[in-house]
Amino acid sequence: MNDTANYPLRVDGISESLGFIEESLKNLRVKQRDLLEALLISEGTMLLLCEHAPEGATVKVTVSRQMGVPRIRLVAPGTSMALDEHLGTVSIDQLGEQTEDAIRSVMLRSYADSIKYRHSHFKNFVTIVTGIPERILATRTVTAIAMAAVTAILFRQIVPDVVTQWVTANLLSPVESLFIYALMCITAPAVFVSITCSMFRFEGFSDMGESGKTVVATYLITSLAAVMIGVLSFTLFTPGEIGILTLPTGSDWAEGFSLLAILETLIPPNIVEPFISVNSLQLMVVAITIGTALTMSGKRTRHLKVLLEEMDVLCGKVSSLVMRTVPVVVYCSTANALISADLGVLTSAMELIPALVAGMAALLLLYCLILVFVVRLNPLPFLRKYVPAMKNVFLKGSSVAAIPMNMRISRRQLGVPKSICSFSIPLGATINMDGNCVCLTIISLFFARICGVTFGTNETIVLLMLVVILSLGAPIAPGTLILCLVSLLTQMGIDIQVVSLVIGINFILEMLLAMVNSVGDVVVALLVARKEGTLDLETYKKK
C-alpha cells in the first residue's frame, strides 16, 4: 500500500502534509507512540527541506509499508541540507544563541538510525522508518533468548555429545569472540572522540552566566552522588559468588595496586599506545588534553574540530551496526552457557538485577530529596505531573529523544521558563548520565567479584573517577553502556568476554537509564529556575 501526495513547502503546507502522514500511518495501524515520533521527525525534516528549497517548491510525500516496516519518503528540490551536520554534536554556544535549531539537531540525532538521506540532481531524498529500530532490536533479543533456551534443551536431551561439543566450539563460541573483537575495535576511538568532543560543549563556559555554571556543576555533583549510590547498592546486595568465573587478567589491578603506580602511567609513552591497549585512563588524559587545547585555540583549529565531530558521528554509526548483531550474539552466548550447564554463572548474573533496580530506585529518591531540601519544593506535584511521562521516555529508550516532551512539561506544567529549560534539558540529555554511573559502578564491581579481582580503597577511587568521566563524555549511540563497560573492564584487567552476561538485558537497561536520566534533567531545570527566582510556583502547584 502506497499513499502519495504533493504539498507546498511553506508553513501551511507542512501542516497539511503532517495531517496526510498521520492519516496514512493510522491506516497502516501504526502504534500511537510510533506515530507521534514519526510526526516529530517529519516536521523537523520538512522544516529543513523548506529552508533549502527554492521559492514555490513542493514536497512529495509517500507513506508505505515495506517488509512489514512503515516508511515515510520525502522528496523535494533544493540544495543539499547537509543533514549529517544536524546528526552531529551541539555546542553550548548553539544552545544559547540558536536554541530552536540546536534542539532540532539534537532531536534528529537521537533518531539518526531511523533517517536515511541523500542528495542528487538538486533534489533532497529523505526516508523515515517508523517503529524505532531499537524496539525491533529489543523484540528480536527477547526472541533470541527464548530460542537459545529451546536449543539448549534439544542439544542436552537429543544431540550426541560429540556433535554438541563441535557446535559450541566451531559455531557458538566464535560468534561471541567476533562480537568481543568488534567491541574492542570501536571502544578506544569512540571513547576518545566522544570525550574530546564533549570538551567543545564547554567552549563558552565563561560566558554562560551563573545559571549555566549552576547547571553544569549540578550535573557533576549528581554524577558523583550516583557512583556512590552504585557502591552502596552493590555493598548491600553483594551479587555474585567470589571467583566463580575464571578468566585471564591483564593489569596490575588483579595483582596488587597502588595509586602512585596509576599516576605514573597516566601519560602514555606515545599517542598510539592507549588505542592499542584500550587503556581508559590514558585515553581520557589524551582526550581531555587535546580537547582543552582545541578549545583554547579558538577558530584556528575549527577544521580539526569539525573532523573530530564527524568522527564522533562515524563511531556512533559503527557502534549502531555492531549492536544490531546483538540478537545473534545473545542467542549464541545464551545457548552456549545453557548447553555447557554453567548455571552458577547465570545464577550470579541474575543476582545482579535486584542491585541494579535498587540503585535506580535510590537515584530517583535522591532526585526527590533534592527537590525537598535543595529546591525546597513539595515533590508530589512533580511526581503527579511527570510520572505519566516516564513511561513514554522508557519506551523511547533515549533521553535525547525525550527532549521536546521534557521541555513541554517543564514549561507548561512545572513553571520553568523557556530561557532555562531550553539550555538545561538539551545539555542534560548529552552529559547527565547519572543512571549510567549507577549501572557502570554496580556491573564493574560485580564482574570484579565473580572474577576474583580484589578491590581496595585506591582501586575503588580510580574506578569511580573513570565512571564519572566516561558518563560525562559517553557517546550518544545505541550500546553506549556496553562500550563504556568494555573500556572499564579493560582498565581493570578483566577479560571482556564477561560482557556477554549482560548483553541480553542491555536493551532493558538502556530504556531504564533513559527514564531515570530524563527525571534528573527536569529536576536540575527546576533547581536552576528556583535558584534564579524565575520558577512559576503557581503553575508548579496547579493540579
Side-chain angles (χ1 to χ4, degrees):
M1 173 185 171
N2 284 2
D3 288 342
T4 303
N6 292 281
Y7 295 95
L9 270 177
R10 55 177 188 265
V11 176
D12 57 340
I14 290 177
S15 300
E16 293 175 9
S17 60
L18 290 175
F20 168 76
I21 292 173
E22 181 177 7
E23 188 64 30
S24 299
L25 291 177
K26 285 181 179 178
N27 292 336
L28 294 176
R29 297 183 179 180
V30 173
K31 293 181 180 179
Q32 182 66 18
R33 63 173 179 267
D34 294 334
L35 188 150
L36 293 175
E37 288 172 357
L39 292 175
L40 188 65
I41 301 172
S42 299
E43 182 181 20
T45 305
M46 279 194 279
L47 287 171
L48 289 175
L49 288 171
C50 189
E51 291 175 4
H52 293 80
E55 188 175 350
T58 61
V59 57
K60 181 181 179 181
V61 183
T62 303
V63 181
S64 62
R65 186 188 293 273
Q66 299 178 21
M67 303 293 291
V69 180
R71 299 172 186 268
I72 303 165
R73 182 174 170 84
L74 308 174
V75 181
T79 57
S80 174
M81 299 194 299
L83 190 59
D84 288 344
E85 294 181 5
H86 294 272
L87 304 180
T89 56
V90 180
S91 69
I92 279 180
D93 288 337
Q94 285 178 287
L95 290 172
E97 297 172 8
Q98 298 175 331
T99 302
E100 293 183 5
D101 289 342
I103 293 173
R104 186 195 306 162
S105 296
V106 173
M107 181 200 68
L108 289 176
R109 185 185 183 191
S110 69
Y111 291 109
D113 288 341
S114 302
I115 304 173
K116 300 187 186 318
Y117 168 76
R118 68 183 178 90
H119 180 266
S120 177
H121 299 92
F122 197 66
K123 280 189 177 182
N124 289 301
F125 300 85
V126 182
T127 301
I128 300 167
V129 180
T130 65
I132 307 304
E134 286 77 7
R135 291 201 196 109
I136 299 173
L137 189 66
T139 303
R140 290 175 180 172
T141 302
V142 173
T143 304
I145 294 174
M147 291 176 61
V150 173
T151 302
I153 293 173
L154 293 175
F155 269 79
R156 291 176 66 87
Q157 298 296 327
I158 301 174
V159 180
D161 290 343
V162 175
V163 177
T164 299
Q165 291 174 3
W166 186 90
V167 169
T168 55
N170 296 280
L171 296 179
L172 301 181
S173 295
V175 172
E176 291 185 68
S177 300
L178 288 173
F179 181 76
I180 296 301
Y181 294 151
L183 285 178
M184 292 181 67
C185 284
I186 190 58
T187 295
V191 169
F192 170 75
V193 297
S194 182
I195 292 177
T196 303
C197 290
S198 70
M199 301 300 294
F200 302 157
R201 301 186 187 119
F202 300 93
E203 190 168 355
F205 188 81
S206 59
D207 301 321
M208 286 191 301
E210 289 301 319
S211 61
K213 294 176 182 178
T214 301
V215 169
V216 175
T218 304
Y219 284 140
L220 180 59
I221 292 171
T222 55
S223 294
L224 293 171
V227 295
M228 296 308 300
I229 288 175
V231 173
L232 292 174
S233 181
F234 177 83
T235 304
L236 180 63
F237 287 88
T238 56
E241 183 180 337
I242 298 177
I244 193 174
L245 193 62
T246 304
L247 289 173
T249 56
S251 83
D252 294 335
W253 288 40
E255 306 168 355
F257 172 94
S258 72
L259 190 57
L260 179 61
I262 285 290
L263 293 176
E264 289 176 347
T265 58
L266 276 179
I267 308 299
N270 58 73
I271 199 168
V272 179
E273 178 64 26
F275 293 91
I276 297 176
S277 61
V278 197
N279 188 308
S280 301
L281 276 172
Q282 293 181 348
L283 275 173
M284 291 177 187
V285 169
V286 173
I288 291 172
T289 303
I290 293 178
T292 303
L294 288 173
T295 300
M296 295 171 63
S297 300
K299 295 182 178 180
R300 287 175 294 178
T301 55
R302 62 184 181 276
H303 297 299
L304 183 55
K305 293 176 185 177
V306 171
L307 175 62
L308 286 169
E309 289 174 352
E310 294 299 329
M311 289 177 61
D312 191 25
V313 175
L314 177 61
C315 288
K317 288 287 186 183
V318 174
S319 173
S320 298
L321 289 175
V322 172
M323 295 310 295
R324 287 182 184 180
T325 66
V326 161
V328 177
V329 177
V330 167
Y331 170 79
C332 293
S333 61
T334 305
N336 197 7
L338 293 174
I339 291 171
S340 304
D342 200 355
L343 300 180
V345 176
L346 291 178
T347 302
S348 293
M350 294 299 291
E351 294 175 3
L352 185 61
I353 296 176
L356 292 170
V357 172
M360 295 296 102
L363 185 56
L364 291 174
L365 177 61
L366 173 65
Y367 290 141
C368 290
L369 293 176
I370 289 175
L371 286 176
V372 174
F373 295 104
V374 180
V375 189
R376 298 191 178 280
L377 289 173
N378 182 352
L380 293 180
F382 168 77
L383 294 174
R384 185 175 63 251
K385 296 174 181 179
Y386 194 73
V387 165
M390 291 170 66
K391 176 185 175 182
N392 291 330
V393 181
F394 179 81
L395 293 173
K396 289 176 186 292
S398 169
S399 55
V400 176
I403 287 176
M405 182 184 67
N406 286 342
M407 290 186 61
R408 183 176 65 252
I409 293 174
S410 297
R411 291 175 55 192
R412 298 179 183 178
Q413 300 183 43
L414 299 176
V416 179
K418 180 179 179 180
S419 59
I420 290 178
C421 68
S422 63
F423 169 81
S424 173
I425 290 177
L427 181 62
T430 56
I431 70 170
N432 176 37
M433 301 293 175
D434 294 345
N436 297 54
C437 287
V438 173
C439 276
L440 288 172
T441 302
I442 295 174
I443 297 174
S444 299
L445 293 174
F446 165 75
F447 283 146
R449 179 179 173 84
I450 66 173
C451 290
V453 178
T454 305
F455 264 39
T457 304
N458 289 340
E459 295 97 316
T460 304
I461 291 173
V462 174
L463 173 65
L464 300 188
M465 179 182 69
L466 287 172
V467 169
V468 171
I469 296 175
L470 275 174
S471 67
L472 290 175
I476 307 175
T480 292
L481 188 67
I482 297 296
L483 289 179
C484 292
L485 192 58
V486 168
S487 182
L488 285 173
L489 294 178
T490 304
Q491 182 65 40
M492 294 160 62
I494 297 175
D495 193 317
I496 63 174
Q497 290 182 27
V498 297
V499 169
S500 61
L501 291 175
V502 296
I503 288 176
I505 61 171
N506 178 64
F507 69 93
I508 296 178
L509 284 178
E510 292 201 342
M511 294 166 76
L512 186 62
L513 294 178
M515 180 185 72
V516 173
N517 292 337
S518 289
V519 174
D521 297 342
V522 178
V523 168
V524 170
L526 282 167
L527 184 151
V528 176
R530 181 70 160 169
K531 182 177 181 294
E532 296 289 317
T534 56
L535 181 65
D536 188 342
L537 292 175
E538 187 175 333
T539 301
Y540 179 82
K541 296 176 182 178
K542 186 185 299 181
K543 293 185 179 180

